Amino acid sequence: VNKLFAEGGMRSVYKFQDGSSKEPMKMVGKWLHRKPRALMEDMAPFIMNSETAISFRDQFLGELKKTHGTPFNIFFVKCYLYRYTEDSKEFCFVGEQCLDGDFVKFNGNNGYVNLRHAFSEEMQAFSHFSFVQSKGKYVVADLQGVVDNKCVFLTDPQVLSRDQHKHAFFGPGDLGLEGMRLFFENHRCGPTCQRLKL
């Protein structure tokens, strides 16, 4: 693992290469600030966030295709769990493929909404869609990543859940109903929400 690459609100990010396949992949590894020697249960919520977002992404694009196609595409970078041993104990961190290009934050888990980017309206519609599709149980937020032509590559999403206190599936970034309220306080429906009748 190389030197520190970036820091977020909860994690430090380092670049590394995964040599487990024929072609080594450039990756970013993420360690928790509060617990650098994390266990599987500490890191599992990040994988749950990613997998949940991927599921809603497939549904979102499927619904858009029914309404005369999609002029863009969205991909969530898959999140992997890595294990390592230190002092005879097993610890974990998560890794994702490294994205090259200018990083854009479209929205946050705290109500932040970026209105300046060309794809911002579509990303806000995706968050709104996740709420409607889940019957109000979830909002997929904290949408951030790199845009390449008409493809948006997203990393590290955060699911906000109505039952945040019942279980810790989505980790400490799940601000629950308060996070949902803040998203909708700042969200304004645009053409994509209208196409999907949100």
Side-chain angles (χ1 to χ4, degrees):
V1 174
N2 295 335
K3 63 183 180 180
L4 183 68
F5 170 63
E7 285 199 88
M10 291 189 288
R11 293 179 290 175
S12 300
V13 182
Y14 297 83
K15 286 187 175 180
F16 73 100
Q17 281 209 343
D18 183 335
S20 63
S21 60
K22 289 180 186 175
E23 293 271 332
M25 280 183 27
K26 287 194 301 183
M27 304 288 284
V28 289
K30 300 179 180 184
W31 278 261
L32 293 171
H33 293 310
R34 65 177 169 77
K35 194 174 179 183
R37 298 169 104 195
L39 304 175
M40 187 184 306
E41 58 264 25
D42 300 313
M43 302 312 282
F46 299 105
I47 294 169
M48 287 294 297
N49 281 304
S50 181
E51 293 301 316
T52 302
I54 289 168
S55 169
F56 282 115
R57 171 250 180 218
D58 294 344
Q59 296 170 58
F60 179 67
L61 293 178
E63 289 301 314
L64 278 176
K65 283 179 186 165
K66 292 178 191 174
T67 64
H68 311 298
T70 52
F72 63 94
N73 210 339
I74 303 171
F75 298 96
F76 280 95
V77 178
K78 200 152 178 61
C79 185
Y80 298 95
L81 183 72
Y82 288 86
R83 295 180 180 141
Y84 65 98
T85 303
E86 193 174 294
D87 298 331
S88 303
K89 293 180 183 166
E90 187 175 86
F91 300 104
C92 298
F93 68 95
V94 291
E96 298 170 335
Q97 189 172 352
C98 187
L99 296 175
D100 292 323
D102 294 330
F103 202 78
V104 180
K105 190 166 183 86
F106 294 101
N107 65 28
N109 62 336
N110 59 357
Y112 167 76
V113 172
N114 175 351
L115 300 175
R116 291 181 179 81
H117 195 276
F119 283 104
S120 183
E121 186 271 331
E122 291 88 346
M123 297 302 99
Q124 310 320 320
F126 172 74
S127 292
H128 188 172
F129 174 85
S130 65
F131 178 79
V132 172
Q133 194 68 12
S134 68
K135 297 180 174 47
K137 289 182 183 175
Y138 307 118
V139 171
V140 179
D142 215 8
L143 301 179
Q144 55 206 326
V146 172
V147 178
D148 184 5
N149 292 318
K150 294 194 175 199
C151 290
V152 183
F153 296 91
L154 298 169
T155 178
D156 204 16
Q158 176 63 59
V159 176
L160 305 171
S161 67
R162 189 170 60 201
D163 295 330
Q164 162 210 20
H165 300 296
K166 259 190 200 174
H167 42 69
F169 281 155
F170 301 111
D174 178 2
L175 303 182
L177 289 172
E178 178 64 7
M180 292 178 170
R181 183 188 68 74
L182 289 169
F183 169 76
F184 282 107
E185 198 171 88
N186 294 297
H187 170 60
R188 299 294 171 266
C189 287
T192 308
C193 286
Q194 290 159 9
R195 276 176 67 189
L196 294 172
K197 298 184 167 95
L198 299 177

